[in-house]
PDB file of all heavy atoms in Angstrom:
ATOM      1  N   HIS G 344       1.760   5.915   1.318  1.00  0.00           N
ATOM      2  CA  HIS G 344       2.503   4.575   1.215  1.00  0.00           C
ATOM      3  C   HIS G 344       3.982   4.862   1.119  1.00  0.00           C
ATOM      4  O   HIS G 344       4.660   4.033   1.805  1.00  0.00           O
ATOM      5  CB  HIS G 344       2.025   3.926  -0.118  1.00  0.00           C
ATOM      6  CG  HIS G 344       0.619   3.265   0.031  1.00  0.00           C
ATOM      7  ND1 HIS G 344       0.310   2.377   1.017  1.00  0.00           N
ATOM      8  CD2 HIS G 344      -0.437   3.460  -0.722  1.00  0.00           C
ATOM      9  CE1 HIS G 344      -0.933   2.015   0.842  1.00  0.00           C
ATOM     10  NE2 HIS G 344      -1.430   2.685  -0.224  1.00  0.00           N
ATOM     11  N   LEU G 345       4.391   5.885   0.497  1.00  0.00           N
ATOM     12  CA  LEU G 345       5.950   6.100   0.460  1.00  0.00           C
ATOM     13  C   LEU G 345       6.458   6.576   1.842  1.00  0.00           C
ATOM     14  O   LEU G 345       7.570   6.064   2.101  1.00  0.00           O
ATOM     15  CB  LEU G 345       6.112   7.199  -0.526  1.00  0.00           C
ATOM     16  CG  LEU G 345       5.924   6.891  -2.080  1.00  0.00           C
ATOM     17  CD1 LEU G 345       6.050   8.115  -2.924  1.00  0.00           C
ATOM     18  CD2 LEU G 345       6.906   5.806  -2.607  1.00  0.00           C
ATOM     19  N   ALA G 346       5.603   7.189   2.554  1.00  0.00           N
ATOM     20  CA  ALA G 346       6.066   7.622   3.954  1.00  0.00           C
ATOM     21  C   ALA G 346       6.247   6.279   4.792  1.00  0.00           C
ATOM     22  O   ALA G 346       7.067   6.199   5.607  1.00  0.00           O
ATOM     23  CB  ALA G 346       5.194   8.512   4.485  1.00  0.00           C
ATOM     24  N   LEU G 347       5.284   5.419   4.635  1.00  0.00           N
ATOM     25  CA  LEU G 347       5.349   4.141   5.360  1.00  0.00           C
ATOM     26  C   LEU G 347       6.485   3.229   4.937  1.00  0.00           C
ATOM     27  O   LEU G 347       7.115   2.743   5.897  1.00  0.00           O
ATOM     28  CB  LEU G 347       4.012   3.409   5.136  1.00  0.00           C
ATOM     29  CG  LEU G 347       3.872   2.002   5.849  1.00  0.00           C
ATOM     30  CD1 LEU G 347       3.899   2.169   7.348  1.00  0.00           C
ATOM     31  CD2 LEU G 347       2.611   1.343   5.378  1.00  0.00           C
ATOM     32  N   VAL G 348       6.766   3.345   3.665  1.00  0.00           N
ATOM     33  CA  VAL G 348       7.938   2.537   3.287  1.00  0.00           C
ATOM     34  C   VAL G 348       9.247   3.106   3.853  1.00  0.00           C
ATOM     35  O   VAL G 348      10.117   2.402   4.370  1.00  0.00           O
ATOM     36  CB  VAL G 348       8.095   2.547   1.692  1.00  0.00           C
ATOM     37  CG1 VAL G 348       9.454   2.043   1.197  1.00  0.00           C
ATOM     38  CG2 VAL G 348       6.940   1.797   1.077  1.00  0.00           C
ATOM     39  N   LYS G 349       9.387   4.427   3.956  1.00  0.00           N
ATOM     40  CA  LYS G 349      10.522   5.074   4.442  1.00  0.00           C
ATOM     41  C   LYS G 349      10.619   4.846   5.963  1.00  0.00           C
ATOM     42  O   LYS G 349      11.742   4.494   6.446  1.00  0.00           O
ATOM     43  CB  LYS G 349      10.471   6.620   4.248  1.00  0.00           C
ATOM     44  CG  LYS G 349      10.769   6.861   2.717  1.00  0.00           C
ATOM     45  CD  LYS G 349      10.677   8.384   2.578  1.00  0.00           C
ATOM     46  CE  LYS G 349      10.729   8.803   1.080  1.00  0.00           C
ATOM     47  NZ  LYS G 349      10.536  10.179   0.799  1.00  0.00           N
ATOM     48  N   SER G 350       9.511   4.810   6.699  1.00  0.00           N
ATOM     49  CA  SER G 350       9.563   4.604   8.051  1.00  0.00           C
ATOM     50  C   SER G 350       9.888   3.282   8.622  1.00  0.00           C
ATOM     51  O   SER G 350      10.221   2.899   9.604  1.00  0.00           O
ATOM     52  CB  SER G 350       8.228   5.032   8.770  1.00  0.00           C
ATOM     53  OG  SER G 350       7.151   4.214   8.426  1.00  0.00           O
ATOM     54  N   THR G 351       9.584   2.193   7.612  1.00  0.00           N
ATOM     55  CA  THR G 351       9.677   0.738   8.009  1.00  0.00           C
ATOM     56  C   THR G 351      11.068   0.214   7.428  1.00  0.00           C
ATOM     57  O   THR G 351      11.424  -0.934   7.675  1.00  0.00           O
ATOM     58  CB  THR G 351       8.665   0.010   7.518  1.00  0.00           C
ATOM     59  OG1 THR G 351       8.460   0.078   6.053  1.00  0.00           O
ATOM     60  CG2 THR G 351       7.317   0.166   8.318  1.00  0.00           C
TER      61      THR G 351
END
Side-chain angles (χ1 to χ4, degrees):
H344 286 301
L345 291 172
L347 180 60
V348 169
K349 289 177 186 175
S350 71
T351 60

